[in-house]
Amino acid sequence: MTQRETSASTRATNAPPDLTELTSLRFIAALAVLVLHYRDFLGPLPGWVLRGIVGGQYGVTFFFILSGFILTYRYHSWFATGVGDVAFWRFQRLRVARLYPVYLFGLLLDTPWHLIERAQVGQLAAVGTTYWASWLLNAVGLQAWVPAVPFAMFWNTPAWSVSAEFFFYASFPFLVHGLGRRLRSTACLAFAFVLAVCGGIALYGAVIYTMNYVVAVSAEAQYIVLVYNPMLRFSEFVAGSLAGWYFVRMQYQPGGLRHRDASLGSARNVVVMLTLTAIAARVWMPDYTGPDRWVWLLDVSVKYGSFVLPFTALILAVASGHTVLSGLLLRPWMVALGEASYALYIIHWSGVTILKMGYFGGKPSWAVVALFLFGTVGASVLCHRWIEVPWRAKLRGSSAF
């Protein structure tokens, strides 16, 4: 082991304190995604309610930003002086241990229903080889890179974001080292943040323009590319990492976030209220439908990018100390649900699939839908307790944290 790697290993043993309130926020984001996917079973809804539910899709943007933030907060010291082999592979091992057991469980849980569904319509024998090839691609977490069904948007559909996260994890050590080495001031971090957001929007716009006005791409392939492709969502993760660097540097400085906790309380509450208002306003903002194609292109290009700043500001405010949300976010049951939020996100699609197959009628009753919703939340807690936690410990071995 080199001196650099030994230093990283030593720093790794001193895990920073948990940011408990952010754990609870994860549950709210996961619940928003859950309700989004159950929207077809909730009956006729007023347009404004349905639009709010559809806004649950931006919970994934929140996850990507939070992922970059938390990883930078916890692991920045591992790669402060460089990316050594030992630290790199230890980090990857920890991330696989964190995600893969529940990821694989979710895939296995969802698989039988799709096989039954395809067998019922006589498709399984004809395209069985393709289905199994696509299943294996999903098993290794590469489905987000293939813009076609059944490779993407078929087996445990929400797990595409984990496929993107695997790419983010592979990039993270180099990203966090580069950011820490080159961005030494708050002004530089702020400039890089603006660049990341604007760069992400510009790339998104360029891809949309190309697929609509340069080459002929099907609507299905466009959707998979624009929503799933890890490169197009990478700016969200980068923005979170930049915010993480800002938080790391500010919290321990004299007069910084930690040392002015009381005096910053009111400011944090203002930030929380402004960000929640901005998020709600964007969710309910009507889409532009024409006739100017350039205005339409701008409108669709900022679909995810417009949420990066308010989500990041909310994360920073909640991570920095007590806010108006703390009374809820610090409740033990909220923290427990937050800890199980990843399991909730991964396993809930099977319930959606079962209901869509019509076993409870073409239109399940409210009682059945409520049973599935609350049952899925309860199952996620059990999944976290009996699958995620023990298997994470086994796969981590003697790794630090």
Side-chain angles (χ1 to χ4, degrees):
M1 183 182 296
T2 66
Q3 182 177 359
R4 174 185 296 175
E5 291 163 345
T6 302
S7 178
S9 178
T10 301
R11 288 191 298 268
T13 61
N14 300 313
D18 290 334
L19 302 174
T20 306
E21 293 176 59
L22 293 182
T23 300
S24 299
L25 277 182
R26 278 173 27 209
F27 169 70
I28 296 174
L31 183 64
V33 175
L34 173 69
V35 175
L36 164 70
H37 290 151
Y38 273 83
R39 67 189 182 280
D40 293 339
F41 309 115
L42 300 178
L45 297 170
W48 66 273
V49 174
L50 183 59
R51 188 168 185 87
I53 291 174
V54 172
Q57 65 184 299
Y58 304 112
V60 179
T61 295
F62 178 83
F63 288 141
F64 287 160
I65 297 169
L66 183 62
S67 178
F69 180 89
I70 291 295
L71 291 182
T72 300
Y73 169 69
R74 292 183 66 86
Y75 296 104
H76 67 277
S77 62
W78 285 37
F79 309 106
T81 58
V83 183
D85 288 346
V86 172
F88 176 86
W89 289 112
R90 178 178 294 173
F91 172 78
Q92 301 304 326
R93 176 180 178 179
L94 293 182
R95 301 324 300 162
V96 169
R98 171 69 176 86
L99 295 189
Y100 196 73
V102 172
Y103 175 84
L104 182 59
F105 176 74
L107 178 60
L108 294 173
L109 188 66
D110 194 54
T111 296
W113 309 112
H114 288 296
L115 295 179
I116 294 170
E117 181 184 37
R118 295 304 167 179
Q120 288 176 343
V121 297
Q123 293 183 352
L124 190 59
V127 292
T129 302
T130 301
Y131 283 154
W132 285 116
S134 69
W135 190 92
L136 290 174
L137 193 78
N138 278 255
V140 296
L142 294 176
Q143 69 270 33
W145 296 97
V146 184
V149 177
F151 297 94
M153 213 165 68
F154 187 75
W155 306 103
N156 200 21
T157 299
W160 72 266
S161 64
V162 180
S163 177
E165 286 280 6
F166 287 152
F167 168 71
F168 299 161
Y169 294 161
S171 308
F172 173 76
F174 306 97
L175 171 69
V176 75
H177 171 68
L179 295 179
R181 183 178 179 183
R182 292 175 174 82
L183 305 178
R184 299 290 188 178
S185 67
T186 300
C188 288
L189 286 171
F191 178 77
F193 182 86
V194 172
L195 192 64
V197 175
C198 293
I201 292 172
L203 178 60
Y204 206 71
V207 172
I208 295 172
Y209 180 86
T210 300
M211 292 195 299
N212 280 274
Y213 302 113
V214 179
V215 297
V217 178
S218 69
E220 180 182 89
Q222 282 199 43
Y223 176 82
I224 295 174
V225 169
L226 296 177
V227 176
Y228 293 4
N229 188 273
M231 290 301 300
L232 293 182
R233 308 304 294 267
F234 190 51
S235 61
E236 300 162 35
F237 180 80
V238 173
S241 184
L242 287 163
W245 263 122
Y246 171 76
F247 181 73
V248 166
R249 290 176 179 175
M250 290 298 294
Q251 64 174 334
Y252 296 117
Q253 287 183 2
L257 298 178
R258 291 282 182 179
H259 299 277
R260 294 189 292 154
D261 185 82
S263 62
L264 285 177
S266 297
R268 283 193 296 271
N269 286 333
V270 170
V271 171
V272 166
M273 299 311 297
L274 288 176
T275 56
L276 293 179
T277 300
I279 292 165
R282 182 66 182 114
V283 166
W284 275 282
M285 183 181 296
D287 298 325
Y288 181 82
T289 56
D292 191 310
R293 75 176 185 180
W294 296 108
V295 177
W296 170 81
L297 182 63
L298 176 62
D299 183 65
V300 295
S301 297
V302 301
K303 177 178 181 179
Y304 300 113
S306 59
F307 285 92
V308 174
L309 178 58
F311 278 150
T312 303
L314 177 63
I315 289 169
L316 280 169
V318 171
S320 299
H322 191 85
T323 70
V324 67
L325 300 178
S326 297
L328 172 64
L329 299 180
L330 288 175
R331 293 192 177 276
W333 59 269
M334 273 295 291
V335 177
L337 291 174
E339 291 172 343
S341 60
Y342 171 60
L344 176 64
Y345 179 84
I346 289 298
I347 70 171
H348 79 270
W349 191 251
S350 294
V352 175
T353 302
I354 293 171
L355 290 178
K356 285 183 176 179
M357 292 177 70
Y359 292 130
F360 296 89
K363 186 66 177 178
S365 67
W366 272 92
V368 170
V369 174
L371 180 64
F372 269 73
L373 280 169
F374 289 105
T376 302
V377 174
S380 71
V381 175
L382 297 177
C383 182
H384 171 72
R385 171 71 184 274
W386 298 110
I387 297 176
E388 184 176 350
V389 172
W391 276 101
R392 180 172 60 198
K394 289 178 182 180
L395 294 176
R396 283 184 171 186
S398 60
S399 296
F401 65 91

